Amino acid sequence: MNIMDVQFNEIRESLNSGLNNLFHAMKAKNTDSGSVTLKIKVENESLIEEIPDPDTGEMINAITSKIPHFDYSVAIGINLKTQIKGSVDPGQKVEYDKATGEYVLVKVKTNQTEMDI
């Protein structure tokens, strides 16, 4: 069994579609990177058939084989990074204000005399 088997045509077509959708999204969002993820979940279902018991010859129900069921999903993701940078230096210190129960910025007291220029 391999992904090129005819039984997996639908999965391959979905993957191809996801890849094309990724490039459309990357162009629309003006980004240079993204990803396509294919996830396949396999569950085996037991095939129960009536067969003769090897010891008694009596007909019994037995698991004769496993039938796989494939669930799949194709997801695309584009890497968008939005960032706002800056710097704030208020020249103040942080103190706890008991009256408000919050931290506040307060002017740093020094022994120097301030002069307006």
Side-chain angles (χ1 to χ4, degrees):
M1 176 181 330
N2 76 54
I3 196 69
M4 297 309 291
D5 290 345
V6 67
Q7 295 88 343
F8 299 113
N9 281 349
E10 181 180 334
I11 295 173
R12 286 193 320 275
E13 288 170 7
S14 295
L15 182 60
N16 290 337
S17 178
L19 187 59
N20 282 293
N21 289 340
L22 172 66
F23 280 101
H24 287 299
M26 287 172 58
K27 184 177 180 182
K29 298 293 184 180
N30 195 27
T31 186
D32 293 327
S33 64
S35 64
V36 177
T37 304
L38 170 63
K39 180 179 179 180
I40 301 175
K41 178 182 175 186
V42 180
E43 287 189 29
N44 284 324
E45 178 183 333
S46 297
L47 179 61
I48 300 173
E49 296 180 298
E50 194 172 35
I51 60 170
D53 184 302
D55 297 328
T56 65
E58 186 178 313
M59 297 302 284
I60 60 168
N61 288 330
I63 298 173
T64 57
S65 59
K66 300 282 186 169
I67 300 173
H69 179 78
F70 302 92
D71 288 324
Y72 70 93
S73 66
V74 175
I76 66 168
I78 55 174
N79 300 331
L80 293 176
K81 184 175 182 179
T82 302
Q83 187 176 43
I84 299 172
K85 283 185 158 186
S87 178
V88 176
D89 184 6
Q92 297 172 320
K93 66 179 181 176
V94 176
E95 286 186 0
Y96 184 75
D97 184 341
K98 291 179 185 176
T100 63
E102 297 177 350
Y103 286 92
V104 295
L105 291 171
V106 296
K107 187 175 182 178
V108 178
K109 296 178 183 174
T110 66
N111 290 334
Q112 295 180 351
T113 304
E114 293 183 9
M115 295 173 53
D116 290 330
I117 299 179

